[in-house]
Amino acid sequence: MDIQQSIESLKNEMGRMRDERQNKLAMVVFSGDLDKLLAAFIIATGAASMDMEVVMFFTFWATPVLRDGKKKGKGKDLFGKMFGFMLPRGARKVKLSKMHMAGMGTSMLKSLMKKKNVASLDEMISLALEIGVKIYICEMTMSLMGFKPEEMIDYPGREFVGVAKFLQEAGDSKIQLFI
Amino acid sequence: MSDALKPDVTMDLKGLACPLPVIKVNQQIKKMQVGQILVAETTDPGAHADFPAWAKSTGNEIVNTEKKETSTMFYIKKLK
């Protein structure tokens, strides 16, 4: 292969590499802490507003945040019931990672947020969905913790997925985050 | 104020905190025509960095900023 050909094939290769990375943000949301979840949703909604495609994957401790406090899952075994009881029932029940202080710190922060017009986690979730952020839920966490689809918040495009779905989306995203 | 900067839509975003000003502006500009001017008034100190960054990423232009006593008016021209 002569030099000219090598350069040509390198150029093609680079072009392909560039094109494969889309203006997209793929985020693993792992934490169940209020502060980290707020950060995750601020970044997600911000990115969506900068015309990026945004996908969030909820796994482990972040999964119960998407429970609907008014709904109940049926037919759980003992461990499922235990997890269901011990983990927060939705976004309003989530605690701070620091300074929770038996609830005092978290409720203080919440009232401060209200005063300073910072959107609550609940509002951020609805806002994210409204502006087209895709939220996927980890199927393995659902079955491990015994959560049932009927106790989760419902929204168009809700899907229970595995790791391959995340990797596929992350693979062609410009930005990947783990929070 | 020159004629070119006549606002087509004015938004009052005073009091709103990050990331709401950027979200609201992006939602509004989508409904407008290319060449129109959106004026957003905000008290969010982060907006001075955020609006230009948002404009750069979305291909719009901040054509003017006007500082008032407690707020700032951003004149945004829709470019595409």
Side-chain angles (χ1 to χ4, degrees):
Chain A
M1 207 193 310
D2 65 26
I3 293 238
Q4 202 58 41
Q5 264 181 323
S6 313
I7 292 176
E8 219 34 60
S9 83
L10 265 174
K11 262 190 194 160
N12 287 341
E13 188 80 358
M14 293 243 325
R16 250 206 8 250
M17 278 161 72
R18 250 202 308 273
D19 288 342
E20 274 168 11
R21 281 155 58 107
Q22 297 161 18
N23 194 23
K24 180 151 90 174
L25 163 66
M27 195 191 295
V28 177
V29 189
F30 180 93
S31 169
D33 297 328
L34 176 59
D35 32 31
K36 295 197 182 83
L37 287 156
L38 279 169
F41 274 98
I42 290 168
I43 297 168
T45 52
S49 294
M50 292 174 86
D51 292 339
M52 294 183 82
E53 196 187 332
V54 184
V55 283
M56 300 173 96
F57 295 82
F58 274 67
T59 189
F60 259 86
W61 309 117
T63 309
V65 176
L66 298 178
R67 289 165 92 194
D68 184 329
K70 288 182 243 97
K71 294 181 195 160
K72 274 199 167 146
K74 287 183 198 103
K76 291 192 183 190
D77 62 12
L78 179 65
F79 288 107
K81 280 180 187 153
M82 267 168 59
F83 269 114
F85 178 72
M86 290 192 300
L87 290 171
R89 236 176 230 282
R92 284 171 204 208
K93 306 284 184 195
V94 178
K95 300 170 189 164
L96 279 176
S97 68
K98 286 185 182 148
M99 294 170 47
H100 176 61
M101 296 185 292
M104 242 168 57
T106 298
S107 64
M108 228 161 77
L109 181 93
K110 281 185 181 170
S111 75
L112 255 177
M113 282 168 63
K114 215 171 197 170
K115 206 174 125 201
K116 305 225 166 181
N117 259 319
V118 177
S120 70
L121 183 56
D122 230 17
E123 290 164 342
M124 288 302 286
I125 295 174
S126 324
L127 186 61
L129 292 166
E130 191 192 312
I131 62 176
V133 172
K134 280 190 218 142
I135 300 182
Y136 295 131
I137 305 172
C138 171
E139 166 57 40
M140 195 269 274
T141 307
M142 290 292 290
S143 73
L144 185 68
M145 298 186 177
F147 295 137
K148 304 285 178 188
E150 67 263 21
E151 70 183 291
M152 309 301 284
I153 56 168
D154 208 357
Y155 48 87
R158 187 181 78 174
E159 248 185 275
F160 299 94
V161 305
V163 67
K165 179 75 176 164
F166 167 70
L167 289 170
Q168 184 231 323
E169 298 272 5
D172 53 30
S173 294
K174 253 195 215 167
I175 306 177
Q176 301 107 16
L177 295 174
F178 184 99
I179 296 183
Chain B
M1 197 181 354
S2 74
D3 224 29
L5 290 183
K6 227 173 91 66
D8 295 286
V9 179
T10 308
M11 293 180 91
D12 179 4
L13 305 172
K14 291 196 293 288
L16 292 183
C18 172
L20 291 172
V22 164
I23 293 171
K24 302 258 176 201
V25 159
N26 196 60
Q27 279 177 320
Q28 178 58 43
I29 206 119
K30 289 243 153 40
K31 298 182 203 148
M32 294 169 59
Q33 311 283 326
V34 172
Q36 285 190 314
I37 303 272
L38 168 64
V39 178
E41 183 173 11
T42 171
T43 48
D44 176 18
H48 290 274
D50 273 15
F51 279 157
W54 164 82
K56 200 175 167 209
S57 293
T58 53
N60 294 293
E61 192 186 353
I62 313 279
V63 285
N64 193 25
T65 53
E66 214 176 283
K67 256 187 123 58
K68 293 173 117 188
E69 209 169 304
T70 54
S71 65
T72 306
M73 318 269 275
F74 287 88
Y75 290 72
I76 304 157
K77 189 173 186 182
K78 178 164 173 147
L79 289 188
K80 63 178 192 188

